Every structure is written in C-alpha cells, then in structure tokens.
Amino acid sequence: MSSLSVDQRRALSEAVLATPAIRRVGDAFAASGYDLHLVGGPVRDALMGRGVHDLDFTTDARPDAIEAILRTLTPATWDIGRAFGTIGAALRDGGREDIVEVTTYRADSYDPASRKPTVEFGDSLTDDLIRRDFTVNAMALSVVNGAFSDPHGGLGDLAAGVLRTPSPPEVSFGDDPLRMMRAARFTSQLGFTPAPEVVAAMESMAKRIDIISAERVRDELSRTLLSDAPRPGLDLLVRTGLADRVIPEVSALVREVDEHGRHKDIYEHTLTVLEQSIDLEKARGHAPDLVGRLAAIFHDVGKPRTKRFEGGGKVSFHHHDVVGAKMTRKRLAELRFSTDQIKAVAKLVELHLRFHGYADTDWTDSAVRRYVRDAGDQLERLHILTRADCTTRNQRKANRLRTAYEQLEWRIDELAAQEELDAIRPDLDGTQIMAILGIKPGPVVGRAYGFLMERRLEEGPLGEERATAELLAWWADQEH
C-alpha cells in the first residue's frame, strides 16, 4: 500500500473541496451507512495536477440503493447500466453542473465467445480495484472518511510514468480486451510508457479485440486521435498488431518501407502529417478535430494497392487518392463512424492531391472556383491536410510548396470577397430556368442548371441578364 506525500494529500483534498458534488454525494452515502470512494481517473488526474472532471465513484451499495440515495440529491438520475451496477446523476450547485457515476463494487469478465461482460457484484474495495484496467487507475479516495487506497502501487507507476495492470495483463485483457486499446490511449493522452509485460500481452492477445463491439473500439481510437500527442498511441497499436485488427489499412503502410530509397517511408510520413495537422489546427485556432486527424492517417492508405515500378527505378502511386477514399469509406463504416464523418474524411482523402497541380502551374480563376466548389464545407480541413502533407526534407521544395499554397489561399480569399465563393451557384435557379425556357420540371432542367454552373465556374458571376442570354443560346443548340 503506497502512502501519500504531503503535497499529494493536499492535491486530493483540494480536488474534493473544490468540487461541491463530491462532498454532497459523500455525505449522502455516509448518512445511509455506505462506503463511497472516488476512484480511477479523478484520483489519478488530481494527483497529476490535471484537475478533476469526470466524477467516478465505487461503493458497496447495490444499484437500487445507489439510485435511491442520488434521488435525494437531484431528480436528474439515469440508468447507465443497472446490470453493470452503474447509476448516473447530474448535480447542480449554483451555476455549476457535475455529472457523477456511481458503480457497485464489481468483478466483471468477458466470456471468450461474447462481446458483453458477465458481471458479478463484489463486496470489497480490494476486490474492485484489482479488476481495474491499470494501476494508475486502481487508486481510490474515500469521500466518507478520507482514506486513500493504493494496493497495487499506482502512485509509484504514476511517478514513473508506467502503465501496468493490477492483475497479470493476460488476465486483465482477458477480462476486457478493450483495455488494450485503452493502453494506447493512455500512452498518448498521459504520456505513459506501457510496461514490457503489457506490450507482450497486447501482442499475444491482439485477436481478442475482435470480440469487442465496433462502437467501443471506435470510441477508444477516437480518444487516442484527439489527444495532444496521438503518435505514440497509434505506433503502439501498430507495433502490437492491434492496428491489423482495427485499422489494417494504416498498419499496412509499415510494410511499404522501400529499402532502395525510391520513395519515402509512407508510414512515418503519415505520422508526421498527423503531427503537422495538429500543429496547424492549433495555429489556426481550431479545437482538436477528429475528422481532420482521421483524414491525416488515412490520406495515403491507397498507396500500397496502387504502387507501380516505373522506368528509371521510379515508383508511382497513380490514383491512390481515389482508391484510398474508397478504402477509407469502407473502414470507417465498419468502425461505425457517422455518415457525415465518413463522407467528410473520404472527401478529404480524395482531394488531398488536388493542390499539387497548382504548385506546378498557375491556376485560372475557374480552377480556383472548382477547387472551392469540390471542397465544399471541408475547405478549411483541406487547407490543413494539404499543408500538413508537405514533409519533404528539401527546404527549397518545402518553401516553394508553402508559398504556392499561401498564394492559393490568398486567391480563394480574394475571389470569395468578390463572388461569395462559399455559396457558388448559377445566376438563375430552377424556377427561373423553367420560366425562361417555357419547360416543365424534368431532366432538361438539370442539364440547363449544369450548363449555367459551368459558366459560373468559368467566368464568375454573370448577372441575370447575361445568364439569360447564354441560357437561350444554349437552348437553341439543343434538340427539342
């Protein structure tokens, strides 16, 4: 059992005192004769000076008793998973609202053939803590009497920045294989290093992740990507073989290392693009963006399938953008990402090479309009991805590409100020087209609209009078 230093005791005490909901819940459970412990992430984060956000508690009370006690504090309670022993509640204090989750001491494990855990309620904090995912999350603070529990050396591992499991990792990951994904997340999120035995267990048990629902895997992958430093976590997934089960298109890039140096290391390039995307997110004032980061790790997944050896020892990856977009859609659908997220990421993958024509030749205003039109509401993300995709060590080339893209963004802004590029549409709408041509709704209206859109892209705003004249000239050449 580890003991707290004076500073650590103060950090925990301040976390409790600064959060009214913790005191209120603790007093209510104590009054009913139950133990209640703040456990896991809140304790870890308080000791790390990260602040307390998610309030997770464990108790000897059973779910019905938990709900009854919480209802004395707030009508806003809900059943997160009664079968799993968890009841949630929202507690308001002045203008502050805290979400709390209270779970009965438990002992859960996975049936090897099932996606769902079998649950047994426990009778002691000791039994509960040994079944936690990692030692740094197996520390508890009683909010009834202030006792601190650390039976598995979490304090020492916290100081060392090491991820270990309270029970043997094979047992821990066997109970809940998702913990292997969580190891990657904590590697990125907290900057910890998994212990050698944890890595070895992840390697030998990677296939066990297949029993976990796609939604739960997706959520852990997303949390890893949204951390400040996702690279170490992603690299851990790849090294242990978990990525082969979860995002095999990304792990396949490792096998594209070219020992003859005819093209860059695609996997390392991908991780660098991800890091540069994050830097640009911050520099441009954006919050962590899951869609943009997914696009960064998937943007080159089409390269292995399109790799061709050309004359003179060169290697090409023609159409890897189109192929990669199709692969991306399939993988993200299997991971149960939303339709909007899938469409956005696939669009970015498909468009990530479009700029390179601009870097080589001067684009007409028409080409700039088409770039904006094709990017649609993903234009800002495309700016970030395209800029991040420059990882060349050739400083002259890097400067040329950077300058070219700055010029493109300047031209987009200039045209946008003149033409409202964010809402590019023909000068005449469908109703006007039908009135001018004297036709009824049908395919020909769509063709006429497409003609006017092409003229808009080529020439910019035409004005209603000129658009009408050009529409009538086009109509005269059509077969009626």
Side-chain angles (χ1 to χ4, degrees), residues 238-301:
V238 170
R239 287 190 290 115
T240 57
L242 277 159
D244 289 340
R245 325 295 302 183
V246 177
I247 43 174
E249 297 81 3
V250 175
S251 61
L253 300 178
V254 176
R255 295 184 282 276
E256 288 303 308
V257 173
D258 180 9
E259 67 276 13
H260 300 296
R262 289 169 292 190
H263 63 81
K264 70 181 73 174
D265 184 322
I266 304 172
Y267 174 65
E268 285 298 319
H269 164 73
T270 295
L271 294 181
T272 301
V273 170
L274 174 61
E275 291 177 321
Q276 293 185 167
S277 292
I278 293 170
D279 290 341
L280 285 166
E281 272 179 13
K282 295 175 181 177
R284 294 169 78 105
H286 301 301
D289 178 33
L290 181 59
V291 167
R293 296 184 186 195
L294 284 167
I297 67 170
F298 277 93
H299 80 283
D300 271 350
V301 295

Side-chain angles (χ1 to χ4, degrees), residues 422-454:
D422 58 341
I424 293 178
R425 59 177 63 88
D427 298 82
L428 303 173
D429 62 23
T431 300
Q432 291 171 304
I433 289 170
M434 289 187 287
I436 292 168
L437 300 183
I439 59 177
K440 296 180 179 180
V444 69
V445 178
R447 293 201 301 272
Y449 189 92
F451 164 75
L452 289 174
M453 175 61 87
E454 284 297 314

